[in-house]
Amino acid sequence: MSVIADTPTRPLPARAPISRRWRKVLNALTAYSFIAPNFIGFAVFTLGPIVFAFALAFMHWDGSNPIRFAGLDNFWKLFSDRVFHAAFWNTIIYTGFVVPLTLICSLALAVLLNQKIFGRNFFRTVAFFPYVASLVAVAVVWNMMFHPEFGPVNMVLYTLGVDPSDLPGWAADRHWAMATVIMFSVWKNMGYFMVIYLAGLQGISSELYEAADIDGASGGQKFRFVTLPQLAPTTFFVSVMLIIQSFKVFDQIFMITQGGPGTSTLVLVYHIYNEAFISWDLGYSSMVALVLFLLVLVITIVQFRWTQDRDEDTA
Amino acid sequence: MAGISLHKLRKSFGALTVVHDVDLEIADKEFIILVGPSGCGKSTTLRMIAGLEEITSGELIIGDTIVNDVPSKDRDIAMVFQNYALYPHMTVYKNMAFGLKLRRAPRDLIDRKVHETAEILDIKHLLNRRPKALSGGQRQRVALGRAMVRSPAVFLLDEPLSNLDAKLRSTMRSELTKLHRRLDATFIYVTHDQVEAMTMADRIVVMKDGHIQQVDTPQALYDRPTNMFVAGFIGAPQMNFLPVTISKQNGVPVAEFDGNSLPLPTRLIDRVGVDYAGRDCVLGLRPENFHERPPIDVDPALTVPVEVDVELAEPMGAEVHLNAALRSRSIVARVSPRCQARAGDRLTLTADLSSAHLFDRETERAIGA
Ligand SMILES: Nc1ncnc2c1ncn2[C@@H]1O[C@H](COP(=O)(O)OP(=O)(O)OP(=O)(O)O)[C@@H](O)[C@H]1O
Ligand SMILES: [Mg+2]
């Protein structure tokens, strides 16, 4: 860059001398003009609605009558709304299971499929497929597999000797519905995170494993002392993505259980949807959305802090 | 006891064989250096000894056990990698302690060993740092330290100095020699730098294209190379090669070079015998065999004046390397800095043939060795 700029070129006589200051302003304007189209789109379609939603959290609005100021009404309602409580805890439980399970499964898959095994590209594709396949199609198949009466999963369990009265009802059973949804989410998303982990694994220098071999490490020790620490940045990224994604889950639950039976799989976003477009209480639903936003924000900040601290005392 | 024997050791990657049936006996506590041009199979050989590369065929014996199928960790070896391969997420201390920790050595023993080693290598003040906060030379020491704490019988070093600057490299060369003496272990060292090989090795193994060319002490390699490759590889600037034909003058074999007869030392005359009369050979003369004035300690019958055109004079401080044309052949002569020759000068040098080498032009093998 500087080489080109420093090369003495013929002065351009046609152009009037521009002061240094002006040149700076012009440069900035040029840059902004390139950013503008994207930013305008963001402002109109994302930033605006977000600000509007925040404001709406302190209003009463049913979507057709005029908006009325509500003060903290919506906030107090959170404490008396039992469905909100259920949704809140369901979200926490869902996230609490989905994040570690997906992490473990995707890492395990990545480690397995990073081995020089026959047909690994095929298996990689198989593992990635649920992520790219249409959610609707996948969910339909899943519902069939786990159908309490005719599903092959229960048939296998039956032939394995499980008493018919003990067979889980999966999505139709309030005790099993959450587990079903969690399994579905893990299975659907692990292929994507596997790919990210594969990239991470490929970035680890093979010399480190050779050094560990010579130092006398077993396979398990190499995983623990070389692979895991080397994957730490990947794991951080994956867990941040997973946590945010889990707090925002909606479509997968919509396809499998519609939040039921009862409120057993109702999560926050589902509640927001119900309040907004079933009950048409847009103000209150915005308040729930605000709570969700703050929850994700706090957790993400804590996570960043935590890794920063860890980096510092090991550096 | 950790002598090492390589019996017909071979390594193939698919159809490509990169190490061909290598035979080598390495004595206990020997400092042996593998040299050769890039891609000749030095690292592969070393990695087979380390157990990082499967042996295609042949036998590898350490001490008195065949270790072909023994995993690295049970071979009582340690390795220093070219790029050091330090664990980036561990401190220097942990890097060094790792091997002992995996072997479940007691804590106080580990601590003592690491501190002792750090003391020897002068890296005590770095123990709490991570590798990324170290300079190249410091990393190199840590890598050495990591190998040393386990007190293995054999150290394997793959171009450990190649990432260092020239000055540090020469310091480390002498330190490694001292370390070898102190550690009382076998060192197998890979490099493509013949200076490292000459200065540190007890014996040098010269390799080319996966074959061992010659194994001998540095001086013997220099004085009696078995073929043109070794002759050209060992010594800098490299040996000058002149195409000659052997003929007889008054019943005595001489080397004909471009219409001139060059006398041969008795050593070569005996070997040339009758077979080589009229054959094409290559005469090898080291740069120091050319002198500005006739040397006094050499039989005058074995010296000839040669006229050269200087193309380039490279002052090295203690000596000057003259790149010159000798009858359209490029040669390099090593002369004293008093020689004021410049590019374009015509100069008469004296070639001392008493230590000349003679090679068969077809097989490239030495005739007089
Ligand atoms: N995994 C592999 N697969 C195929 N060929 C390989 C493999 N590893 C090494 N080779 C080949 O084997 C030959 C010897 O390689 P090696 O690394 O032993 O060379 P080297 O003598 O150490 O060279 P350098 O001085 O450049 O390190 C090279 O031609 C290289 O291309
Ligand atoms: Mg190498």
Side-chain angles (χ1 to χ4, degrees):
Chain A
M1 292 285 280
S2 63
V3 174
I4 294 169
D6 292 344
T7 323
T9 47
R10 264 179 301 117
L12 299 170
R15 204 183 265 178
I18 304 175
S19 81
R20 209 172 243 215
R21 217 187 144 140
W22 256 111
R23 169 110 3 118
K24 258 193 183 166
V25 173
L26 273 182
N27 273 342
L29 281 179
T30 317
Y32 283 129
S33 73
F34 277 97
I35 299 171
N38 191 13
F39 184 76
I40 290 170
F42 169 74
V44 171
F45 296 108
T46 309
L47 191 61
I50 287 177
V51 172
F52 182 58
F54 280 178
L56 212 52
F58 302 95
M59 309 285 167
H60 288 301
W61 193 34
D62 61 5
S64 47
N65 291 312
I67 301 176
R68 283 178 297 118
F69 183 67
L72 292 177
D73 285 3
N74 290 329
F75 181 68
W76 301 127
K77 189 173 169 188
L78 289 174
F79 294 93
S80 57
D81 179 4
R82 294 199 158 192
V83 182
F84 168 72
H85 297 166
F88 183 87
W89 288 115
N90 282 341
T91 307
I92 302 279
I93 291 170
Y94 175 86
T95 308
F97 279 95
V98 164
V99 173
L101 284 177
T102 313
L103 268 177
I104 292 168
C105 291
S106 52
L107 177 58
L109 266 180
V111 170
L112 280 178
L113 295 179
N114 198 36
Q115 237 81 260
K116 289 193 183 94
I117 52 167
F118 177 73
R120 75 175 169 176
N121 280 338
F122 172 75
F123 288 113
R124 282 180 186 180
T125 314
V126 168
F128 190 62
F129 192 72
Y131 181 76
V132 280
S134 141
L135 176 68
V136 179
V138 168
V140 166
V141 173
W142 185 271
N143 277 336
M144 256 160 51
M145 298 281 294
F146 283 83
H147 192 281
E149 282 147 53
F150 317 112
V153 173
N154 269 4
M155 286 188 188
V156 169
L157 287 179
Y158 177 72
T159 45
L160 287 179
V162 179
D163 193 87
S165 61
D166 291 342
L167 282 178
W170 302 116
D173 182 333
R174 55 183 307 126
H175 299 295
W176 283 95
M178 183 54 95
T180 311
V181 168
I182 288 170
M183 284 195 311
F184 178 68
S185 294
V186 171
W187 174 75
K188 172 111 172 85
N189 290 317
M190 65 185 178
Y192 175 72
F193 294 107
M194 171 199 76
V195 171
I196 296 179
Y197 265 126
L198 272 175
L201 284 174
Q202 255 132 48
I204 303 177
S205 151
S206 61
E207 270 198 349
L208 290 183
Y209 290 109
E210 294 181 344
D213 264 333
I214 290 193
D215 271 334
S218 65
Q221 285 167 326
K222 277 189 275 188
F223 180 75
R224 183 167 154 216
F225 294 113
V226 178
T227 312
L228 273 187
Q230 287 292 98
L231 283 178
T234 312
T235 303
F236 175 68
F237 172 77
V238 169
S239 60
V240 168
M241 297 301 290
L242 265 173
I243 287 177
I244 293 176
Q245 190 178 311
S246 302
F247 272 108
K248 286 170 41 181
V249 67
F250 173 76
D251 46 0
Q252 287 152 28
I253 289 180
F254 184 79
M255 290 311 301
I256 303 283
T257 62
Q258 291 82 45
T263 55
S264 59
T265 55
L266 192 83
V267 287
L268 281 175
V269 178
Y270 216 107
H271 192 45
I272 293 168
Y273 168 80
N274 280 343
E275 288 297 322
F277 302 114
I278 309 289
S279 316
W280 290 103
D281 189 347
L282 292 165
Y284 179 60
S285 109
S286 297
M287 180 53 81
V288 180
L290 187 59
V291 170
L292 178 62
F293 170 76
L294 292 176
L295 203 63
V296 174
L297 186 69
V298 167
I299 289 179
T300 312
I301 288 175
V302 168
Q303 241 182 329
F304 267 96
R305 278 285 154 76
W306 183 65
T307 45
Q308 249 168 23
D309 287 353
R310 208 190 44 177
D311 274 357
E312 267 156 29
D313 54 52
T314 41
Chain B
M1 280 303 289
I4 299 175
S5 311
L6 283 58
H7 289 314
K8 301 240 168 300
L9 212 59
R10 171 189 287 254
K11 178 70 198 180
S12 307
F13 294 105
L16 177 75
T17 300
V18 298
V19 176
H20 297 267
D21 301 346
V22 160
D23 280 308
L24 184 63
E25 296 288 334
I26 301 168
D28 187 29
K29 310 206 191 325
E30 194 171 10
F31 197 141
I32 200 133
I33 295 192
L34 309 183
V35 283
S38 189
C40 71
K42 311 178 293 288
S43 296
T44 308
T45 308
L46 194 75
R47 291 165 56 81
M48 282 195 281
I49 299 174
L52 297 174
E53 211 76 74
E54 213 174 297
I55 294 168
T56 307
S57 68
E59 262 176 13
L60 174 66
I61 299 168
I62 301 183
D64 35 34
T65 33
I66 299 178
V67 294
N68 283 33
D69 300 318
V70 175
S72 303
K73 59 175 174 164
D74 300 325
R75 292 189 185 187
D76 201 11
I77 50 146
M79 183 151 170
V80 178
F81 293 83
Q82 180 171 359
N83 302 314
Y84 316 133
L86 298 173
Y87 308 115
H89 50 277
M90 296 185 197
T91 60
V92 167
Y93 182 95
K94 285 188 179 159
N95 261 287
M96 289 170 66
F98 191 57
L100 287 177
K101 186 179 149 193
L102 293 178
R103 285 174 168 73
R104 298 178 191 285
R107 241 165 208 281
D108 49 333
L109 175 81
I110 297 181
D111 203 56
R112 196 166 42 97
K113 279 277 200 181
V114 171
H115 279 100
E116 269 173 24
T117 312
E119 184 85 56
I120 296 173
L121 293 171
D122 201 17
I123 49 174
K124 262 198 132 142
H125 56 295
L126 305 174
L127 283 178
N128 289 319
R129 292 216 204 148
R130 301 268 218 101
K132 70 166 182 254
L134 301 178
S135 72
Q138 290 168 335
R139 280 178 210 183
Q140 205 271 332
R141 279 159 195 273
V142 175
L144 261 178
R146 180 172 65 178
M148 280 162 60
V149 282
R150 282 199 280 116
S151 325
V154 183
F155 283 82
L156 306 173
L157 305 102
D158 193 353
E159 310 206 25
L161 305 185
S162 61
N163 289 342
L164 304 182
D165 65 67
K167 188 163 179 296
L168 195 52
R169 209 180 303 169
S170 77
T171 335
M172 283 309 296
R173 277 206 304 266
S174 53
E175 294 209 2
L176 275 174
T177 313
K178 281 185 217 152
L179 205 59
H180 171 246
R181 226 170 283 150
R182 172 173 191 155
L183 292 176
D184 220 17
T186 311
F187 273 43
I188 306 178
Y189 186 109
V190 162
T191 179
H192 56 251
D193 179 359
Q194 54 105 10
V195 180
E196 278 175 29
M198 292 295 280
T199 50
M200 294 191 289
D202 289 331
R203 283 192 306 155
I204 296 177
V205 179
V206 184
M207 292 184 71
K208 182 193 170 198
D209 300 336
H211 293 276
I212 289 188
Q213 304 291 307
Q214 190 173 359
V215 184
D216 219 326
T217 61
Q219 199 58 47
L221 279 187
Y222 193 79
D223 293 340
R224 295 182 295 279
T226 57
N227 59 36
M228 282 176 70
F229 176 78
V230 176
F233 194 81
I234 302 288
Q238 79 168 70
M239 186 184 279
N240 301 297
F241 294 118
L242 303 173
V244 296
T245 315
I246 303 298
S247 66
K248 286 217 168 145
Q249 231 172 39
N250 308 327
V252 183
V254 292
E256 297 279 356
F257 169 67
D258 208 16
N260 295 54
S261 306
L262 306 176
L264 291 173
T266 356
R267 172 170 58 86
L268 291 177
I269 289 174
D270 295 347
R271 292 299 189 98
V272 169
V274 266
D275 325 345
Y276 275 91
R279 298 263 301 263
D280 286 340
C281 288
V282 173
L283 186 77
L285 279 175
R286 297 231 178 247
E288 61 268 29
N289 297 141
F290 291 95
H291 304 267
E292 306 148 72
R293 55 185 63 105
I296 38 172
D297 52 348
V298 177
D299 178 4
L302 284 175
T303 62
V304 280
V306 290
E307 216 163 59
V308 298
D309 295 308
V310 178
E311 289 168 339
L312 177 69
E314 294 178 305
M316 308 298 289
E319 59 195 35
V320 175
H321 296 167
L322 289 182
N323 294 22
L326 167 59
R327 306 274 174 94
S328 80
R329 287 271 144 194
S330 291
I331 61 150
V332 179
R334 175 185 288 181
V335 297
S336 91
R338 286 187 307 275
C339 174
Q340 296 292 329
R342 295 275 158 76
D345 289 357
R346 174 158 286 197
L347 202 65
T348 305
L349 296 174
T350 307
D352 164 13
L353 289 149
S354 62
S355 44
H357 301 263
L358 201 58
F359 305 94
D360 185 314
R361 205 183 297 177
E362 244 168 64
T363 64
E364 301 200 341
R365 299 197 59 79
I367 295 171

